[in-house]
Amino acid sequence: MDLLKNLTIKSFHEGLIAKKFSAVEVTREFFSHIKETDKNIGAYLSLNEEGSIKTADRVDEAVAQGEKIPLLAGVALAVKDNIMIKALPATAGSRSLESYVASYSAGVIQKLKKEMAVFLGKTNLDEFAMGSSTENSGFHLTRNPRDLERAPGGSSGGSAAAVASDQAIAALGSDTGGSVRQPAAFCGVVGLKTTYGSVSRNGLIAMASSLDQIGPITKTVEDAAILFKAITGKDEYDSTSADTDYGEEILNSNFEKVKTLRVGIPEEYFPKELDSEIGKAVERVIGDLKGAKMTFKKISLPHSKYALPCYYIIMPAEVSSNLARFDGIRYSRIDEKRLKAKNLKEIYTHQKGEGFGTETKRRVILGTFVLSSGYYDAYYQKAQQVRTLIKQDFDKAFNEVDVILTPVTPTYPFKIGEKISDPYQMYLSDIFTIPANLAGLPAISIPVNGWNKGEGSLPVGFQLIGKHFHEADILGIGRLYEQFGY
Ligand code: GLN
């Protein structure tokens, strides 16, 4: 276990080529640690032990042959269970997909396979990535490794918990309204929501297609850069993916250049309801960066206050059309009742009635309503117009500053059960993360230094939002900040 503690992509790679350990040895260590630890945490839904050892063995072979191995070779990753890996289960946290096995690998997985990454298993999530605590999973709870009474956040709660409890070196999550950043903040790890279009969604089980992005969850900002570089780029099976070229600089931030970036502080993201301790933690980050001679400017993003209601119209609309494909025929919950169904109506009722959980049903119904004739203009179209205003706020702000700094969440990790019966309170956890999705911008959640120093202290994160395709800026400031690491 000591071997796994604080093991990063970078330190694993260095140890591997220095022959301090073999990939198989580390992989086996991960599985014994998972078997011991995950009983209490519940990060994983399924494990891929045989496949992992096979890949690790190939990596060791390559090292023995003296080949130059990629940075991610042998790196033990956890993958959110809405991202498909051929021949492994892909449930998206839904009972309706309990028996589904992926028939192909997602674009990001194909890229990582070429790098010989090891996929330890698939992680728990809120059903179809809808939620902020992982409590909406159709399978089981995931606990926050920093305090087992608390939620790990969501929807990528399993991925964040796996990384935070050293049950993986790094992980992949998906972020539609905050699902990579919020659980990263709750678990004290780094989460990067990538620019819309920078990473392929081919093979990601879709939630809301105009918002969904896959992103890394890691222990360090440096690792987030490494994993991001490995998964970005064009994929012919996702027409929204862009032909990105981030170059080598994304891996080697030039701190002198980074320090010249101007940082904007939007007043709307520091409301009086914000937990005062979170406000103070973010102030400390600002102080540290000012100490490094970075310049700050107050800005305003006046339409961000409409982001939450706007998202809760656009997102369910897209959810209701994306989830229509789970019709009980091509994708089906197979059990006795399904096999005995006599007609289409019985199939549909069974698939959606028993296969889907409460939150999923709520969103499908809401989405169907806002798209229905007579309401479309009043809700969906209006929300799209508001979305444009939110985007324009950012465009305007980015004329004056290069990045924007905000809190990630308005509260500390909440207790399991605390918000599940009040959807509106749950939705509020994403109030600071949703605007970046609506505007398609890259944003990163980074733990505030020192959160883990006090007895019983809980993680707190801060967020950096960048211009489209400017991941290098937010990663650069993040790495600079990480150097202060007290
Ligand atoms: N928590 C938000 C929601 O419930 C965001 C989910 C996500 O980013 N996948 O919709």
Side-chain angles (χ1 to χ4, degrees):
M1 166 56 202
D2 278 356
L3 181 62
L4 309 184
K5 204 142 190 63
N6 303 323
L7 193 63
T8 62
I9 298 178
K10 192 69 186 292
S11 65
F12 171 81
H13 181 73
E14 286 168 359
L16 189 65
I17 49 180
K19 301 206 167 72
K20 279 199 192 136
F21 41 69
S22 72
V24 168
E25 199 183 315
V26 173
T27 306
R28 286 200 200 286
E29 188 74 15
F30 267 113
F31 282 104
S32 66
H33 178 52
I34 291 170
K35 281 170 198 160
E36 209 179 287
T37 316
D38 213 35
K39 296 193 283 283
N40 301 325
I41 295 182
Y44 284 97
L45 283 174
S46 58
L47 296 176
N48 172 36
E49 192 160 355
E50 214 184 289
S52 295
I53 301 288
K54 247 193 215 155
T55 309
D57 206 33
R58 269 179 39 227
V59 172
D60 287 338
E61 187 65 24
V63 175
Q65 300 291 323
E67 286 172 34
K68 184 170 168 14
I69 54 161
L71 266 176
L72 283 157
V75 170
L77 299 177
V79 178
K80 189 175 182 178
D81 208 23
N82 59 354
I83 300 171
M84 306 219 286
I85 303 180
K86 190 176 174 167
L88 296 185
T91 66
S94 180
R95 288 270 174 198
S96 68
L97 290 175
E98 197 168 3
S99 41
Y100 180 66
V101 173
S103 54
Y104 66 96
S105 285
V108 291
I109 298 297
Q110 292 173 31
K111 283 191 189 324
L112 292 169
K113 278 190 173 174
K114 284 199 190 113
E115 297 233 351
M116 293 194 282
V118 166
F119 305 114
L120 295 177
K122 308 293 298 292
T123 55
N124 200 16
L125 65 155
D126 289 295
E127 185 172 31
F128 294 110
M130 299 193 275
S132 308
S133 65
T134 316
E135 289 164 291
N136 293 334
S137 164
F139 299 97
H140 56 70
L141 280 177
T142 298
R143 296 181 177 276
N144 190 323
R146 315 293 185 184
D147 177 346
L148 298 179
E149 297 294 301
R150 291 177 195 268
S155 63
S156 314
S159 285
V163 175
S165 55
D166 296 307
Q167 298 190 75
I169 296 180
L172 289 179
S174 65
D175 192 313
T176 304
S179 278
V180 159
R181 290 160 288 160
Q182 185 257 18
F186 274 16
C187 292
V189 292
V190 174
L192 173 67
K193 183 275 196 208
T194 54
T195 304
Y196 189 78
S198 66
V199 175
S200 161
R201 285 98 44 83
N202 160 32
L204 167 71
I205 297 175
M207 176 183 161
S209 306
S210 77
L211 302 155
D212 298 341
Q213 274 294 300
I214 292 175
I217 296 178
T218 55
K219 293 182 193 170
T220 63
V221 179
E222 179 174 36
D223 275 6
I226 296 173
L227 196 47
F228 170 61
K229 181 146 187 350
I231 59 173
T232 180
K234 183 84 193 152
D235 177 346
E236 61 170 316
Y237 294 105
D238 176 358
S239 59
T240 63
S241 68
D243 206 355
T244 55
D245 179 12
Y246 287 90
E248 286 302 308
E249 306 90 89
I250 197 136
L251 300 181
N252 306 301
S253 309
N254 171 347
F255 290 140
E256 287 318 305
K257 214 166 122 196
V258 165
K259 286 181 190 169
T260 65
L261 296 169
R262 299 157 303 170
V263 186
I265 304 291
E267 51 179 345
E268 295 82 0
Y269 288 63
F270 295 82
K272 55 180 187 322
E273 302 81 44
L274 181 68
D275 185 309
S276 64
E277 289 303 313
I278 293 199
K280 277 188 218 153
V282 177
E283 287 299 330
R284 279 209 311 276
V285 176
I286 297 173
D288 286 349
L289 292 172
K290 277 187 180 159
K293 302 263 181 314
M294 294 197 66
T295 51
F296 282 76
K297 188 169 180 173
K298 285 211 167 72
I299 55 164
S300 175
L301 297 166
H303 295 94
S304 280
K305 62 171 174 289
Y306 304 116
L308 199 70
C310 173
Y311 171 83
Y312 275 94
I313 290 174
I314 293 173
M315 173 274 296
E318 296 183 13
V319 162
S320 76
S321 46
N322 272 328
L323 265 50
R325 65 166 66 83
F326 301 107
D327 55 6
I329 297 183
R330 281 166 303 170
Y331 305 102
S332 184
R333 175 170 168 74
I334 312 280
D335 56 21
E336 206 168 327
K337 217 163 161 191
R338 165 66 179 84
L339 296 174
K340 284 194 178 143
K342 289 191 289 297
N343 52 40
L344 263 183
K345 191 173 172 216
E346 279 185 24
I347 291 177
Y348 288 165
T349 326
H350 171 255
Q351 168 78 359
K352 312 223 164 171
E354 291 178 30
F356 288 179
T358 310
E359 185 62 23
T360 301
K361 287 178 190 158
R362 178 165 23 242
R363 296 196 193 191
V364 169
I365 292 168
L366 211 72
T368 311
F369 173 74
V370 298
L371 289 176
S372 55
S373 86
Y375 294 103
Y376 179 90
D377 296 355
Y379 294 110
Y380 188 70
Q381 198 163 317
K382 191 59 146 277
Q384 291 290 16
Q385 288 162 344
V386 175
R387 182 177 189 172
T388 304
L389 295 174
I390 294 169
K391 259 195 213 144
Q392 285 169 350
D393 278 359
F394 280 106
D395 291 343
K396 221 171 116 204
F398 283 131
N399 286 327
E400 298 176 56
V401 296
D402 303 294
V403 300
I404 295 169
L405 193 152
T406 76
V408 184
T409 55
T411 66
Y412 278 91
F414 44 83
K415 291 236 166 84
I416 289 172
E418 193 179 321
K419 301 202 179 192
I420 195 69
S421 51
D422 186 347
Y424 183 64
Q425 282 307 316
M426 189 71 93
Y427 297 169
L428 280 172
S429 355
D430 298 298
I431 192 157
F432 302 138
T433 48
I434 283 172
N437 299 79
L438 289 170
L441 299 166
I444 191 168
S445 164
I446 300 172
V448 172
N449 285 333
W451 70 264
N452 49 354
K453 292 291 165 1
E455 185 82 2
S457 52
L458 290 167
V460 44
F462 70 98
Q463 171 172 245
L464 294 167
I465 307 173
K467 298 176 184 169
H468 287 119
F469 299 105
H470 281 245
E471 273 81 355
D473 293 347
I474 54 176
L475 289 164
I477 299 180
R479 289 184 66 178
L480 173 71
Y481 177 74
E482 215 165 51
Q483 308 272 314
F484 307 151
Y486 46 83

